[in-house]
Structure formats: structure tokens, C-alpha cells
Amino acid sequence: MANILITSGPTRQYLDPVRYLTNASSGRMGQALAEAALEAGHDVTVVTGPVSIDYPAAATVIAVDTTDEMLNAVLELFPACDGLIGAAAPCDYMPHRISTEKLAKDGQPLELELIETADIVATAAATKKKHQWVVGFALETEDRRFRAIVKMQRKCCDMMVSNGPAAINSLTNDVEILASDGTTLAHVTGSKQVVAAAILKATQLLIRTKS
Ligand code: C5P
């Protein structure tokens, strides 16, 4: 039995008190992973951005809004966990300046300067202790496999799930699960439940090598 932390869903980055940048992530992959992990007997904590789905009642669910809030929750929880599965699609950019008042239209184009948000998986993975592991996801439109391996190394992940844009806000997924040495552990196409079961199976091996 392991303590598994899962990030799930999108995050929001505000321009002003009412407008924000985000993406169409539904949280369904994180939901399916939480179900599969609970079924395998693990303790599960989900840190989720705003979603309209429900997580299993047996999971501890922490709701956050922005990438920074998700990062802070993960950094607080990760030390007491055995592993992290980063299934969230955090908003990668944030406005350089956030207006405290609602931006008023003035008939002119609105120019936004965006800066990168913190990378949650990479920041948490940098704090990994010997027994801890991190599974990342890579969503790529081109060179999926190669880019996923590069991303796995850059973010210090122990396993990477490579998927395409069809995964976003969909009931199904088509993934390649990659080990840290770049070998393919599995190719899975199907419902997010089927994909989650395969990811959990591969994670079990990771848990065994770390303990
Ligand atoms: O967006 P990208 O394809 O780089 O995401 C790869 C992995 O990094 C995913 O597991 C995602 O949850 C994670 N990520 C993150 N923080 C970000 C961006 C991505 O944890 N700001």
C-alpha cells in the first residue's frame, strides 16, 4: 500500500478579478487514476483544479484554482507521500501583471505579456527522496515519443505517459507508457479507466523497485 498524490484538471491564471486563461482539461484522467489507485489498495489524495466531475469519495480531495496554489498544495503534501502522478494540465502561462480591478474595454487591442508559471511536477521531483517516485504526462502533437522522453529527463520523472491532444476533455485516451530508460512499457488505447488501470499496473512495478 502506498500514499499516492495525484494532480488533476486544469488551473486558471487571472488577468483581472473575473477573466482568466485556462484549458479544456476535464479531470477525467485524474479521476480514473484515483479510482484505479484506490481499487489497488492505495491511499489517494487528489489536488484538483476547477472541474465539473466528482472524485471517488474515498480519496482526499484538495481543490485549488491557480498553478501556484496547486504547486503549494503539492509541495506541502508530497513529503508525506510515496509518489506523485501529475495528470493535471496546469496553465503554463500567467499574465505578467494581474489587474486588481476589472480591465475596462477602450476600443483598443489588449496586449498581454505572459510569463511561464512554475512546473509542479519538476519542482516536486527535485525534492524526491530515495523511496519516492514521480509519474508525469506529456501531451505533444509532434514527435510524441521523443519529446516525452526528453520531458521525462528534464522533469526528473521515473515514468512518463505520452498522449496526444485527443486526450483533452475526452472519455478515451491513447497512450504510450515509457520507463525512465526510454523503453516502452505499454501502448494502451481505450477508456480513461482502461488507460488508468495500465498506468497503475506499471506504477506497481515502480513502487516495487523503490521499496
Ligand atoms: O505541459 P507539459 O506537457 O509539459 O506537462 C507535462 C507534465 O508536467 C504533466 O505531468 C503535467 O501535469 C506536468 N506539469 C506541471 N506543471 C506545469 C505544467 C505541466 O506539473 N506548469
Side-chain angles (χ1 to χ4, degrees):
M1 199 267 292
N3 264 320
I4 302 184
L5 183 59
I6 299 172
T7 65
S8 181
T11 59
R12 294 175 176 170
Q13 295 303 151
Y14 287 84
L15 277 60
D16 68 17
V18 292
R19 301 185 179 98
Y20 53 81
L21 303 172
T22 190
N23 60 66
S25 169
S26 64
R28 286 198 191 95
M29 196 64 242
Q31 178 193 48
L33 284 163
E35 283 163 2
L38 286 165
E39 215 160 282
H42 303 299
D43 278 341
V44 175
T45 302
V46 182
V47 180
T48 182
V51 292
S52 54
I53 51 132
D54 291 319
Y55 292 99
T60 302
V61 179
I62 316 269
V64 297
D65 210 16
T66 66
T67 301
D68 241 25
E69 286 171 15
M70 188 175 275
L71 174 70
N72 289 337
V74 166
L75 291 181
E76 196 181 315
L77 295 162
F78 187 56
C81 292
D82 300 296
L84 166 68
I85 305 180
C91 191
D92 291 319
Y93 293 99
M94 60 189 263
H96 189 38
R97 275 175 296 277
I98 304 170
S99 174
T100 51
E101 291 169 20
K102 187 184 172 199
L103 295 165
K105 292 200 290 182
D106 61 2
Q108 297 301 310
L110 172 65
E111 285 191 15
L112 288 180
E113 192 185 350
L114 302 177
I115 55 172
E116 286 186 15
T117 55
D119 193 295
I120 299 160
V121 156
T123 310
T127 71
K128 256 189 309 183
K129 300 277 181 296
K130 232 178 161 185
H131 71 284
Q132 289 181 303
W133 46 267
V134 173
V135 175
F137 276 69
L139 196 155
E140 306 288 350
T141 52
E142 252 81 36
D143 289 334
R144 275 174 57 173
R145 191 169 198 288
F146 175 74
R147 291 189 188 189
I149 291 169
V150 170
K151 205 167 266 187
M152 171 160 51
Q153 286 164 351
R154 181 164 47 85
K155 300 193 185 201
C156 283
C157 292
D158 302 276
M159 203 168 87
M160 207 72 181
V161 182
S162 157
N163 54 188
I168 292 279
N169 204 11
S170 152
L171 296 175
T172 58
N173 206 348
D174 166 23
V175 307
E176 186 171 0
I177 304 173
L178 298 160
S180 58
D181 64 359
T183 55
T184 300
L185 297 170
H187 253 128
V188 194
T189 304
S191 68
K192 287 189 173 169
Q193 282 70 27
V194 166
V195 169
I199 295 169
L200 246 290
K201 197 172 153 200
T203 304
Q204 292 293 150
L205 294 175
L206 197 53
I207 293 172
R208 243 171 272 152
T209 60
K210 290 274 175 176
S211 53

